[in-house]
Amino acid sequence: MILLDHVFLIFPSGVQALQDVSMHIAREEFVFLVGPTGSGKSSLLKLLYREATPTQGKVLVDKVDVGRIKAAQIPFLRRNIGVIFQDYKLLQDRSIYENVAFTLQVTGTPRLQIRRQTLQVLDLVGLADKASHLPRELSGGQQQKACIARAIINNPQILLADEPTGNLDPDTSWEIIQLLNRINTRKTTVLIATHDKDIVNTLRKRVVAMSQGRVISDQKLGVYTNGR
């Protein structure tokens, strides 16, 4: 499903974000990506949804070389990849329903189908009764659930999460991770970049640890490894 083959990423400023990273993630896997700030976790995720392109090496997503696709093809790539951010990125002047439905609206999905799918995913994440609320009327955990609903409304094969519990208390963080785990059981490949040691150590999924732009360990039933 995801393959990085000897990938390097050097930004125009000269900062080397990734150094010779190779990794394979199979279809329907659940993987934690861990490491200190600046270790390259977010940079790796950006390569997968084509926010960045590798300086050297190959990045394949479902056998597509995402570093070589044309700009016009990027929206089609992203329809198959859901992305969850730490800072939510919700439209503050639109309701939760409108935030989630927007992803389908821009692709020209029929109105009745938009309504059906939007209500289904809001129910899945436990926000059916918050559909008409604005983001500012929701707690941090509820806003993150709205982000998850938005990310999965297209039934993507891959779900990427960049520090999805970074702004949340422990109980809410665990609730969010359990939701992502449940989404994984629906045959979605899940890759989560996180600093949350307790969650990583409790769940015992595959753990890929990074430090200074390199992969320093890859454990099948792993625990949090600090690469510093």
Side-chain angles (χ1 to χ4, degrees):
M1 176 55 69
I2 295 172
L3 177 67
L4 287 86
D5 185 23
H6 297 288
V7 170
F8 291 77
L9 176 60
I10 302 173
F11 290 119
S13 62
V15 173
Q16 187 155 353
L18 297 173
Q19 302 182 56
D20 199 19
V21 172
S22 293
M23 183 190 312
H24 174 256
I25 298 175
R27 193 178 300 274
E28 300 179 29
E29 267 201 282
F30 188 115
V31 182
F32 284 117
L33 194 61
V34 305
T37 300
S39 60
K41 303 187 301 299
S42 295
S43 296
L44 190 153
L45 295 184
K46 287 178 180 179
L47 290 177
L48 300 181
Y49 61 92
R50 189 50 194 276
E51 184 71 19
T53 55
T55 307
Q56 183 178 326
K58 284 188 177 182
V59 178
L60 303 180
V61 176
D62 200 19
K63 299 181 181 179
V64 175
D65 188 340
V66 299
R68 291 182 175 272
I69 63 174
K70 297 178 181 178
Q73 296 173 294
I74 294 175
F76 296 97
L77 168 76
R78 292 178 179 172
R79 288 181 194 178
N80 202 32
I81 302 174
V83 185
I84 303 165
F85 301 97
Q86 180 179 356
D87 57 354
Y88 313 138
K89 298 188 184 299
L90 294 169
L91 301 171
Q92 296 300 311
D93 61 343
R94 300 195 185 188
S95 70
I96 294 304
Y97 177 94
E98 291 169 325
N99 267 277
V100 176
F102 182 75
T103 302
L104 295 178
Q105 291 169 345
V106 297
T107 62
T109 304
R111 187 173 178 180
L112 288 177
Q113 184 179 341
I114 290 174
R115 179 171 176 78
R116 184 177 67 252
Q117 287 184 227
T118 301
L119 293 177
Q120 283 176 345
V121 296
L122 286 174
D123 184 59
L124 175 66
V125 303
L127 290 180
D129 61 338
K130 305 292 183 183
S132 63
H133 288 57
L134 293 173
R136 64 175 176 270
E137 297 174 316
L138 273 58
S139 67
Q142 289 171 330
Q143 290 186 61
Q144 191 60 287
K145 288 180 182 179
C147 294
I148 294 171
R150 181 183 58 190
I152 65 173
I153 195 166
N154 268 330
N155 296 312
Q157 293 185 20
I158 299 169
L159 184 60
L160 309 176
D162 193 1
E163 300 288 352
T165 63
N167 293 325
L168 306 176
D169 63 78
D171 288 342
T172 307
S173 295
W174 181 242
E175 189 178 347
I176 293 297
I177 291 297
Q178 286 181 309
L179 175 57
L180 295 176
N181 193 36
R182 191 158 76 248
I183 291 168
N184 173 241
T185 65
R186 299 173 59 189
K187 301 185 177 181
T188 302
T189 305
V190 176
L191 177 58
I192 302 175
T194 184
H195 283 107
D196 199 321
K197 297 181 182 181
D198 291 338
I199 284 175
V200 173
N201 293 344
T202 299
L203 222 54
R204 297 303 297 269
K205 299 286 189 177
R206 180 180 171 190
V207 178
V208 176
M210 298 189 68
S211 179
Q212 298 181 340
R214 297 179 181 272
V215 173
I216 59 170
S217 71
D218 189 340
Q219 310 169 67
K220 194 167 251 186
L221 298 173
V223 294
Y224 194 101
T225 299
N226 193 329
R228 283 182 290 184

